[in-house]
Amino acid sequence: MKVAKFEFSLFGINTYVVVDEATRKCAIIDPGMINREEEDAMKKFVISNNLTVTHIINTHLHIDHAIGNIKAAELFDAPISAHKDDEFLGERMKQQAQMFGISEKVAEVSINSYLTDGDIIKIGEGELTVLHVPGHSPGGIALYDKKDGFVISGDSLFAGSIGRTDLPGGDMTTLLNSVKSKLLTLPDSTIVYPGHGPATTIGRERSSNPFLR
């Protein structure tokens, strides 16, 4: 499958669209759209590429990764999927928004379909495997495409860094164990598409990430 990246402005969040080119089915990962311009950019991409959105998936439910959930579900009539352990964050979306003075733009996010470790998400003829990587949040997940050699890591693993653990439900020991057992066991050539910043590879992070030594 192919991956398209949008970087939305308020939080510098990477929103991804994963596309199965054979069927034109796709999933939106971590909708970060906060205004009309960003919503229109996503809508235009889907329409101009003749795509059908079958899934809206959250790697976790911190506000930057989920602020566009409701609008995406409305625009594309697709269900929202995430790990149950982050459900409390969806229920506290307005509280999260108050930290940034944007509570009027945000509604509670409900999960339509729970994801667990090892689940296979079918996108047309493609597949994403769910990897539970708690630590940044209790329900943090990554999405691995074995066939095409990439993983969408959310805020668990970045180029040269890892996710913060000072937010509710975060735990450094848990995060380090998750990254080492679930992500660093992937092939070195695996491309890592993180929740913020540039792409990297598993091999590069295994050899040079200062937090993983």
Side-chain angles (χ1 to χ4, degrees):
M1 291 189 288
K2 299 296 184 182
V3 179
K5 170 185 166 182
F6 293 80
E7 184 175 346
F8 292 122
S9 57
L10 181 62
F11 299 104
I13 166 72
N14 293 336
T15 293
Y16 296 103
V17 182
V18 178
V19 179
D20 173 49
E21 293 187 299
T23 63
R24 312 310 295 168
K25 302 289 180 64
C26 73
I28 299 175
I29 316 297
D30 291 342
M33 306 89 73
I34 194 173
N35 56 40
R36 183 67 174 272
E37 181 182 1
E38 293 176 348
E39 292 163 0
D40 286 348
M42 179 61 71
K43 183 178 180 180
K44 180 179 179 181
F45 178 83
V46 169
I47 292 173
S48 64
N49 286 281
N50 194 30
L51 302 178
T52 300
V53 179
T54 57
H55 299 78
I56 297 165
I57 306 170
N58 289 107
T59 61
H60 60 295
L61 286 174
H62 286 150
I63 186 169
D64 50 342
H65 291 252
I67 195 167
N69 272 31
I70 302 302
K71 189 62 177 182
E74 176 187 308
L75 284 172
F76 304 115
D77 192 27
I80 296 169
S81 301
H83 196 284
K84 184 174 177 58
D85 288 353
D86 267 13
E87 192 162 40
F88 77 103
L89 291 171
E91 294 169 351
R92 298 179 187 174
M93 200 60 60
K94 275 194 169 292
Q95 293 171 252
Q96 295 187 58
Q98 286 171 357
M99 297 170 57
F100 302 96
I102 55 171
S103 57
E104 74 283 354
K105 297 178 181 290
V106 177
E108 176 182 314
V109 170
S110 298
I111 302 171
N112 303 127
S113 175
Y114 296 124
L115 299 173
T116 59
D117 189 64
D119 282 352
I120 304 295
I121 303 170
K122 294 285 290 184
I123 303 171
E125 296 175 1
E127 293 184 349
L128 293 174
T129 300
V130 176
L131 306 176
H132 186 207
V133 284
H136 176 66
S137 73
I141 62 169
L143 301 163
Y144 177 47
D145 183 332
K146 181 177 181 180
K147 179 176 180 291
D148 292 300
F150 68 82
V151 63
I152 295 174
S153 62
D155 283 1
S156 58
L157 179 64
F158 302 116
S161 188
I162 58 173
R164 61 189 293 182
T165 56
D166 58 340
L167 298 171
D171 183 82
M172 179 62 78
T173 299
T174 300
L175 179 59
L176 288 171
N177 288 338
S178 296
V179 170
K180 289 176 181 178
S181 64
K182 293 295 179 66
L183 299 182
L184 295 192
T185 53
L186 301 176
D188 281 356
S189 59
T190 303
I191 299 169
V192 178
Y193 294 113
H196 304 268
T200 182
T201 64
I202 290 295
R204 184 180 304 151
E205 299 313 306
R206 182 186 290 111
S207 65
S208 65
N209 191 310
F211 293 89
L212 301 176
R213 293 180 177 177

